[in-house]
Amino acid sequence: MRKALVIGNWKQNGSIASVKALADSVVSSCLDESVDVAVCPAALHLPVVAPLLGDAIALGAQDVSEYSGGAYTGQISAAMLVETGCQYVLVGHSERRALCAESSVAVGVKAKSALGSGLTPVVCVGETLDERKANQTEAVIFEQLDGFFSALGSDELTQCVIAYEPVWAIGSGLSASAEQAGEVHAAIRTKLESYAAGSGAVIRILYGGSVKPGNAAEIFAQPDVDGGLIGGAALDAADFSAIVSAASGSGE
Ligand code: PGA
């Protein structure tokens, strides 16, 4: 049984006042116990949002250092995130892979560092439009997964969440179709199984990329889609709660 999970990635948005208001609205509108819900504010907003979430909504960070501590200017360790109340952390978001040149192996090291402190890493993978057009989707994603898995043990793998986020669908308004998402999710699940027998059945695989209230239910209805990683629509509590409701009952 995989419980549905919906995560709001607030990216580099908001002020202290606006994230407080958003957190309050999410807490009062996302009440579905059949779905795990988390929000990922910017790092400086984590301690602002943490006390507002109660037990129903989990806190997540958008990145974590590969290193446990020391002379790494600007980095935030997994232990610091845990102390601030985080349960989840995104690793390898395509914006970080592109802007910060994060390699898949570095993503794996980050995931390992997160797991070492008790955080659940949400490992993002996805292809660009050019790669999809060149029929490279599976190859690209498998390479990303191979790099990430090279840093982990099999028992650590089962504690991760995977997010399939086609780069061309992020923030573009152009979501993958339910069939496209379903196909890639099924391929990812088979690949996970090849790393560790039994892992394919337990690891939650989220879809991300222009999920909106209007397309969420269809995407989440795919058997291998266990919820969503939501960007733009997560900044509007009404849209986000509609997406959470669409995930209700979609768990396997
Ligand atoms: P989007 O972003 O929902 O705005 O497309 C998703 C993400 O980047 O996680």
Side-chain angles (χ1 to χ4, degrees):
M1 178 77 185
R2 298 186 301 269
K3 189 174 178 187
L5 169 64
V6 174
I7 302 178
N9 174 10
W10 294 355
K11 306 194 180 184
Q12 190 185 308
N13 288 299
S15 60
I16 288 175
S18 76
V19 296
K20 278 184 176 173
L22 180 56
D24 283 340
S25 303
V26 168
V27 167
S28 56
S29 59
C30 297
L31 301 169
D32 194 326
E33 287 181 5
S34 69
V35 182
D36 285 338
V37 179
V39 294
C40 302
L44 275 175
H45 293 156
L46 291 169
V48 172
V49 169
L52 305 176
L53 295 180
D55 292 337
I57 314 280
L59 187 68
Q62 298 173 16
D63 183 39
V64 64
S65 174
E66 290 169 59
Y67 310 104
S68 59
Y72 301 102
T73 303
Q75 304 275 335
I76 298 174
S77 73
M80 291 171 183
L81 295 178
V82 169
E83 199 178 13
T84 309
C86 290
Q87 294 175 43
Y88 294 92
V89 62
L90 310 181
V91 291
H93 191 282
S94 64
E95 286 153 13
R96 294 200 56 84
R97 288 181 191 260
L99 293 170
C100 308
E102 274 184 17
S103 70
S104 294
V105 175
V107 171
V109 176
K110 288 184 174 205
K112 192 175 180 68
S113 157
L115 287 165
S117 290
L119 287 169
T120 298
V122 180
V123 182
C124 305
V125 296
E127 81 289 0
T128 63
L129 191 55
D130 283 348
E131 289 162 347
R132 174 163 281 269
K133 283 183 179 158
N135 284 325
Q136 293 291 303
T137 299
E138 230 174 69
V140 167
I141 288 166
F142 286 4
E143 205 180 310
Q144 291 171 344
L145 289 172
D146 283 342
F148 142 73
F149 181 65
S150 68
L152 291 187
S154 311
D155 48 339
E156 289 173 310
L157 178 70
T158 56
Q159 297 167 52
C160 297
V161 171
I162 307 289
Y164 168 52
E165 296 207 304
V167 178
W168 48 272
I170 294 176
S172 64
L174 189 74
S175 160
S177 68
E179 292 70 29
Q180 286 172 324
E183 256 174 39
V184 176
H185 280 234
I188 291 173
R189 209 172 284 293
T190 305
K191 182 72 172 166
L192 295 173
E193 195 62 27
S194 78
Y195 298 134
S199 65
V202 297
I203 296 177
R204 292 187 282 193
I205 308 177
L206 312 183
Y207 170 79
S210 294
V211 178
K212 307 283 176 216
N215 61 12
E218 196 188 353
I219 295 170
F220 297 161
Q222 292 288 316
D224 286 306
V225 177
D226 304 314
L229 178 53
I230 318 302
L235 298 172
D236 179 310
D239 282 358
F240 187 63
S241 83
I243 292 168
V244 169
S245 299
S248 179
S250 71
E252 276 280 291

